Amino acid sequence: MQENQDRQQLAAYLEQFDIQDVFHEPLLPHVSLYMFEPGEELCRQGGQSEILYVLVKGMTKTSTTSPEGRTLVLSFKTPPEMIGDIEYIEKIENMNTVEAVTPVEALGIPYQWLYRYGQDHPPLLQFLLKIITSKFRIKSDSMSFNLMHPVETRLASYLLSVTTEQNPVLITGHPADYNLTDIANLIGTSYRHLNRVIGQFCTEGWIVRKRGSIAILNRPALYQLAGAAVF
């Protein structure tokens, strides 16, 4: 993690996401801009939560680890997103581990200043409410999606959601990227079944799998398979 001292860039992010009112005059001096490299953790499950982050650039991966040591990927997040919001409100330890998938930039403000200057600030409270309710809605939609659609549909939808026509390659070989175990966990299937479905997609000519990557060859076919199911 590295702190960026560029206050102009910080102000630009506040304007870009229209959150100037969220961090009003008493809070603003305590807001910093942080940069994280792929694989760096913004917070670790069970650790002491001290900073509220607002993701403004890049992508993060949220995961949880069971007492037996099994890790489950819960979600991938892009801006604008809050990290540490529930921990701030509930005053609890970090519920999950959040790490950077790509280079990440995030606004950060220590809880101590939020407790002092933000407890009665309506724009901040409304922003927190909006983000938290959105998380619950997305979680509900994801659970319904995994229950209602076969793995083929889930994988097609997932591949479409994390690639574009301009960037059709999914890197799977780096621990901080979209490794196959993470993908299997996220779409609710086993690693073995995921490999079988990937093999089917390769046979159909929709994707090509190489060591450490998956490239999309036929987006229209994946869209047809995914239908209205948006991951």
Side-chain angles (χ1 to χ4, degrees):
M1 179 181 72
Q2 181 179 353
E3 186 173 348
N4 186 340
Q5 302 292 337
D6 188 346
R7 301 300 291 184
Q8 272 192 318
Q9 182 60 67
L10 188 152
Y13 280 131
L14 292 175
E15 182 176 359
Q16 178 182 344
F17 294 102
D18 194 23
I19 53 175
Q20 302 97 317
D21 292 341
V22 172
F23 300 111
H24 60 328
E25 187 175 346
L27 284 175
L28 190 57
H30 307 290
V31 180
S32 300
L33 180 60
Y34 297 97
M35 299 182 297
F36 299 84
E37 294 299 319
E40 277 195 276
E41 294 178 350
L42 282 75
C43 60
R44 171 167 284 276
Q45 181 179 345
Q48 188 63 43
S49 189
E50 298 178 348
I51 297 178
L52 178 73
Y53 292 109
V54 179
L55 179 65
V56 292
K57 184 177 180 180
M59 179 179 286
T60 62
K61 177 174 69 176
T62 303
S63 61
T64 186
T65 302
S66 71
E68 296 77 28
R70 181 181 178 186
T71 298
L72 175 66
V73 175
L74 301 175
S75 62
F76 291 93
K77 296 295 184 181
T78 54
E81 179 62 44
M82 269 192 177
I83 300 159
D85 43 357
I86 295 176
E87 289 83 352
Y88 161 65
I89 292 171
E90 294 290 320
K91 298 183 180 179
I92 58 175
E93 295 178 341
N94 292 320
M95 297 172 60
N96 303 305
T97 296
V98 179
E99 65 180 273
V101 174
T102 65
V104 157
E105 294 185 27
L107 307 178
I109 181 166
Y111 289 170
Q112 60 175 317
W113 302 115
L114 290 171
Y115 292 136
R116 180 174 297 184
Y117 299 120
Q119 296 284 66
D120 299 316
H121 182 50
L124 173 62
L125 300 178
Q126 291 169 6
F127 188 54
L128 283 165
L129 179 62
K130 180 180 178 180
I131 292 290
I132 292 173
T133 53
S134 176
K135 286 182 178 180
F136 281 111
R137 177 183 55 79
I138 291 170
K139 180 64 175 178
S140 176
D141 290 347
S142 176
M143 292 177 64
S144 299
F145 179 82
N146 284 347
L147 289 171
M148 295 172 63
H149 297 282
V151 173
E152 291 79 3
T153 300
R154 286 179 252 161
L155 179 60
S157 181
Y158 174 80
L159 291 174
L160 291 169
S161 73
V162 295
T163 61
T164 64
E165 291 185 5
Q166 294 74 28
N167 186 18
V169 179
L170 183 71
I171 305 300
T172 62
H174 189 282
D177 293 328
Y178 312 87
N179 65 69
L180 296 186
T181 301
D182 287 345
I183 296 172
N185 288 336
L186 190 60
I187 67 174
T189 189
S190 68
Y191 178 85
R192 181 175 298 178
H193 193 181
L194 176 65
N195 267 309
R196 285 198 294 268
V197 176
I198 289 174
Q200 293 172 17
F201 284 13
C202 290
T203 300
E204 295 289 345
W206 299 340
I207 65 174
V208 60
R209 180 180 182 182
K210 297 181 180 179
R211 185 177 181 86
S213 69
I214 295 174
I216 311 302
L217 300 180
N218 191 338
R219 294 186 74 82
L222 293 179
Y223 272 116
Q224 185 175 2
L225 179 58
V230 179
F231 195 86

